[in-house]
Every structure is written in C-alpha cells, then in structure tokens.
Amino acid sequence: MKRFFAALCGAALTAALFAPAALAYQGPSVSCEAYIVMDADTGQVIMEKNADEVLYPASITKIMTMALALEKAQGQLDTQLTVSYDAVHQLEYGSSHIALQEGELVRLEDVLYGTELESANDGANVLAEYIGGTIQGGVDAMNQKAAALGLANTHYMNPHGLHDDDHYTTARDMATITRWALSVPGFEEIFCRTDPWTMAPTNKQPQERVFHCTDWMRISGDYYRTYAKGSKNGFHDQALTTFVNYAEQNGVRLISVELKCQMLEDKFRDACAILDYAFENFSRVEIPAPAEAFQVPVVGGGEALGNALVQPQSATALLNKNLTTDGITVDYQIPDRYVLGQPFAASVTYSLPENDYQPSALGSATLSVSGVSEVLAASTYIPASSLEPEQNPVAIAVAAAAAAMALVLGVRLWRKAGAKRPAAASGAQWEIITRKPLPAEPPPWQTRATDPAPRSRTKPPGRD
C-alpha cells in the first residue's frame, strides 16, 4: 500500500505565477485537428490540442514498424530478406511502394530506407514479416509494443497505415511511440536522413532504385527550418494528412505530431508554426529541490530496523517565458516501508497551477534514499570473535605459553585425583553470537524532518 504526501514549493500558490492579465495566450494558428509537442528527453508535454482524440495515423504507422525491425536487428542491417507473395499482393491498388517482387532477395537496410523515404507499403509488409514471421505476426508485435508503452488509444491492423476503421491512434500516443523509437539504435539515423539512398540491383531487379527525402522542412523553400532533423508523413482519404517531426535547437529536442491536416501543404505550415512558437517561447529551467525530507521505516526479517531518509532532488523542465517556477506544486509518492530485497520506488511530481500558457504537468523525478547502509550496519549480528581487537604475534606467543602451562598443571592434578576421565560433553559447543551495540545518539537520518500529514494526490484527468 502506498501513501501520498503533498507540499508546496515557494510562498506563492497561484497568483505569483502569472504576469499581468493583459498577457493573453497567443498560440500558433493551425488547421490540423490535433497536435502535440513533447520534450524528447523527458516526455514533458509543452503544447497540445485535442491530443487524446482518436484519429487515423496513415503512414506514420511505419514509425512503429521500422523501430521494431531495428530493435530485432540489433545492428545487423545486412540481413537478407526474401520478399513473399503476401508482402507484394496484400496491398490496395495505387498505394506507395518500391516495386518489390515475390522471391526478391533484399537487404534489411534497403527496405528500411525505402519504407522511411518513399513510405513503401510493400517495404512495411516485408518488415512486418521479418519482425513476426508473417504480416499478422508483425502486427501482433506492434500491438504488444503499444500495450507495453501504456498506450490505450492505439491499435494496429496492418504495418503500413492503409485505412481500416480499427487502425487508429492519438497525437499523444504517436509522440510516445516516436520518443521510444528514437531510443532504438539506428532509428534516428534513418529517420533523419535527407540525402538520397541507393538500393543496389537484386536477383529480380537489375536496376538501382533511388529513394528521396520529401520533407520540405529539411530540404529547401519557404518551410525549410534548420532545427528540423527527422520526420515521417502520411496520407489517405480518411486520415487526411499526418506528420511527425523531430527537431533540435539550443540543446532542446522536441517531438511534434500533427493529425488530420486538411491539405498537403498544411502539414508543413502547421508544423512550422507549432515548432517556431515552441522554440521561441520555451526554455529549459531548473526546479530547485524542495527542503522537505521524510523518514521511512527500513524493514527486514519481519522487523523494523531503523529509518531511511527520503529527499527530493532538483529537476529540469521546459517553461514558457511568461511563467516562473514560483508556486509549483510538489506531489510526493512514497511507499510506507523500505523492505530489504525489494524495489523501492519513490518519486516526486512537479506541476504548475492551471494557466493559459502550457499544460500543468512539468514532469517527475526520483527521490534519493540515504541511511539504509547505516541502518544495516547497526542491525547486523556478528560472531563475538570478530569483535575482538587485532592481536600481534607477541601476544599470541604469550597466550600459547600460558595455555601450555595450564595444560601441564591440569594433567598433574588429574593424575593425583585417580586418573578419572571427564564426563562426555552434553552437546555441541556453539560460538557465542553477540549484537553490536546501537549508537548512544540516534543517527542523523532519524532526526531530520517528520512526515507531514498525508493526503490524497490529485491526479490529472485520465485519457478516454
């Protein structure tokens, strides 16, 4: 069972957070139905619109497909794959492809670049078969990964994103998927490539195939942005245009997702407006560690051995330039006990009061735990012999001589008494075990702060 602690950092609770009321929120104007901007390093969401609305992803589905293939490959991108009948023929007429043929031997790396740069649906099918043995096996693995990431609003029916009523996601889920994908070795390199990729001739195709980047934000023109590093786009009649971007500027790495943009050009216009605003208005700040400290009983062998000290640590977050760190709410989640041999997960969540500039949740940090080793040292049973001071060779020799004299004297007395044998020992002789005395004064981790009265944690609204 867990208990929750809450505390306030700073003297001001709400009013001090805001500039004068005349500063109204002036976010970007966009046409897309939903979007989100997430810190790629921490997962903090700094901007969002309808981020939990369930919509169709189209070809940004392939982010999951490519990342799972790279996760399985473990860097072995020269792996040879054989294109199956299903990979070629289980596609609707007119869908994007790289002209793969049944029985063709292809390199995994070539298929990955074809899937990324040309949004190849036949390539996605080949990757799914590589992942799960069959296309359906690959789709099953995609849904399993979505579940493992805690995504309740994402479901896959295919590996490429062609329309199916039961193939859906949300902007928030897509940002989470992309953040995970960027952690997979090799994904960022493929996701961020702008140079053409050349696929060598194969056993079925004597000509080279060249794949090109079509992201206007990374090539040239009115929508070119130096911060744009990687992307994947998608389109079909039900999803309209979808777009996922990875951007970096001044050490800040952002993931943005735009869903259901009305026109082809709108995805670039919206992404530029959103990311321009984000980089102009947000910067990374440090949240000082609160002064609170909490005692948690350390339990081992069914008994309390002492107390450990649990303390918050400082953290960083992206903050809108119109806000300050004053008035941040500090929400602790600390288990009732520290049980030896079991995981101990204590954390603190930092939140802003409701405001017009960014979502309240700033992120979480782990709490530091100290004093456990001291508690163990004070509670350890050890043999009495190990408590004796170290002896030098002279002392040992003297003791041995005394023992020898005592033995000789004992033998003489025994003979005078009639040479009677001693009685058999009544049982085994056990070495005396003693416990180290506890310190006269309680250790410092037992005398710091006392627990404030616990109260229920207020959770943000859940997803539908």
Side-chain angles (χ1 to χ4, degrees):
M1 181 178 180
K2 295 183 176 180
R3 62 180 177 180
F4 301 94
F5 302 95
L8 293 176
C9 176
L13 299 180
T14 54
L17 183 67
F18 301 103
L23 284 175
Y25 173 65
Q26 298 294 330
S29 176
V30 296
S31 67
C32 58
E33 176 72 17
Y35 75 81
I36 196 168
V37 181
M38 177 181 288
D39 183 347
D41 292 316
T42 67
Q44 177 195 355
V45 173
I46 63 172
M47 297 166 59
E48 62 179 282
K49 170 191 172 184
N50 300 330
D52 295 309
E53 182 178 352
V54 175
L55 296 167
Y56 300 122
S59 283
I60 59 176
T61 295
K62 297 180 175 85
I63 292 175
M64 172 68 85
T65 313
M66 293 186 295
L68 282 177
L70 284 162
E71 189 175 60
K72 177 177 180 178
Q74 293 293 301
Q76 302 300 313
L77 300 187
D78 284 334
T79 300
Q80 291 287 322
L81 307 176
T82 301
V83 179
S84 71
Y85 175 91
D86 288 342
V88 175
H89 294 284
Q90 283 193 7
L91 295 173
E92 61 187 51
Y93 177 77
S95 69
S96 58
H97 62 84
I98 52 174
L100 297 177
Q101 301 178 45
E102 180 185 355
E104 187 172 7
L105 298 177
V106 293
R107 292 173 63 249
L108 174 60
E109 188 173 30
D110 290 330
V111 179
L112 285 163
Y113 277 109
T115 303
E116 163 61 26
L117 296 172
E118 298 294 338
S119 201
N121 294 326
D122 51 356
N125 279 345
V126 171
L127 294 179
E129 291 181 333
Y130 170 66
I131 295 165
T134 64
I135 293 175
Q136 185 58 53
V139 173
D140 292 342
M142 294 165 68
N143 284 315
Q144 290 166 10
K145 175 58 72 172
L149 293 172
L151 310 181
N153 294 320
T154 293
H155 185 260
Y156 297 107
M157 294 296 291
N158 58 63
H160 39 65
L162 290 174
H163 179 65
D164 188 294
D165 286 344
D166 291 326
H167 189 100
Y168 52 80
T169 191
T170 66
R172 192 183 310 278
D173 283 5
M174 274 308 311
T176 301
I177 291 167
T178 305
R179 183 171 178 243
W180 161 74
L182 287 167
S183 72
V184 176
F187 180 87
E188 184 174 340
E189 181 179 355
I190 294 173
F191 196 60
C192 297
R193 187 178 181 89
T194 55
D195 293 335
W197 179 266
T198 300
M199 180 177 176
T202 68
N203 63 319
K204 293 283 187 176
Q205 173 57 266
Q207 302 296 321
E208 292 181 341
R209 280 167 277 197
V210 182
F211 312 139
H212 300 274
C213 175
T214 58
D215 181 359
W216 298 353
M217 292 178 68
R218 293 187 285 145
I219 301 175
S220 63
D222 294 340
Y223 300 111
Y224 177 76
R225 296 293 188 273
T226 57
Y227 58 64
K229 304 302 180 185
S231 68
K232 184 73 192 76
N233 62 351
F235 172 82
H236 60 61
D237 291 341
Q238 293 78 15
L240 299 182
T241 301
T242 61
F243 205 19
V244 175
N245 306 95
Y246 168 56
E248 182 177 2
Q249 183 171 279
N250 298 326
V252 175
R253 302 192 310 143
L254 299 178
I255 296 166
S256 72
V257 179
E258 294 80 39
L259 297 181
K260 206 170 185 179
C261 302
Q262 298 300 310
M263 305 293 291
L264 173 65
E265 192 170 348
D266 287 341
K267 68 181 179 184
F268 298 115
R269 183 182 297 108
D270 288 353
C272 287
I274 290 167
L275 289 169
D276 285 351
Y277 180 90
F279 283 121
E280 180 181 350
N281 288 275
F282 287 85
S283 61
R284 195 171 302 283
V285 299
E286 182 175 0
I287 304 172
E292 290 84 10
F294 306 98
Q295 296 182 68
V296 176
V298 177
V299 177
E303 65 173 320
L305 306 176
N307 290 332
L309 185 68
V310 179
Q311 293 176 293
Q313 303 180 71
S314 61
T316 63
L318 294 177
L319 194 67
N320 189 284
K321 66 183 181 181
N322 293 301
L323 306 178
T324 74
T325 57
D326 293 336
I328 288 178
T329 299
V330 183
D331 197 3
Y332 297 97
Q333 185 176 2
I334 306 175
D336 289 324
R337 304 180 301 168
Y338 187 111
V339 181
L340 297 177
Q342 296 184 12
F344 181 81
S347 63
V348 57
T349 299
Y350 298 103
S351 302
L352 293 167
E354 293 296 325
N355 65 88
D356 294 328
Y357 297 100
Q358 71 179 93
S360 296
L362 293 177
S364 300
T366 58
L367 277 68
S368 65
V369 182
S370 60
V372 176
S373 58
E374 290 85 350
V375 168
L376 291 176
S379 306
T380 302
Y381 288 91
I382 59 175
S385 58
S386 66
L387 295 179
E388 295 176 357
E390 184 178 355
Q391 298 179 1
N392 57 47
V394 175
I396 294 175
V398 172
M405 292 179 63
L407 178 61
V408 172
L409 180 60
V411 170
R412 289 179 179 177
L413 292 175
W414 173 64
R415 287 176 176 173
K416 289 182 178 179
K420 294 181 179 179
R421 300 185 63 182
S426 60
Q429 300 298 304
W430 296 97
E431 185 177 19
I432 297 175
I433 304 298
T434 186
R435 184 172 187 163
K436 281 187 176 180
L438 294 175
E441 296 293 332
W445 63 88
Q446 295 182 359
T447 59
R448 294 291 296 273
T450 57
D451 293 349
R455 62 172 180 154
S456 297
R457 175 182 179 183
T458 301
K459 296 184 178 180
R463 288 178 243 166
D464 295 336

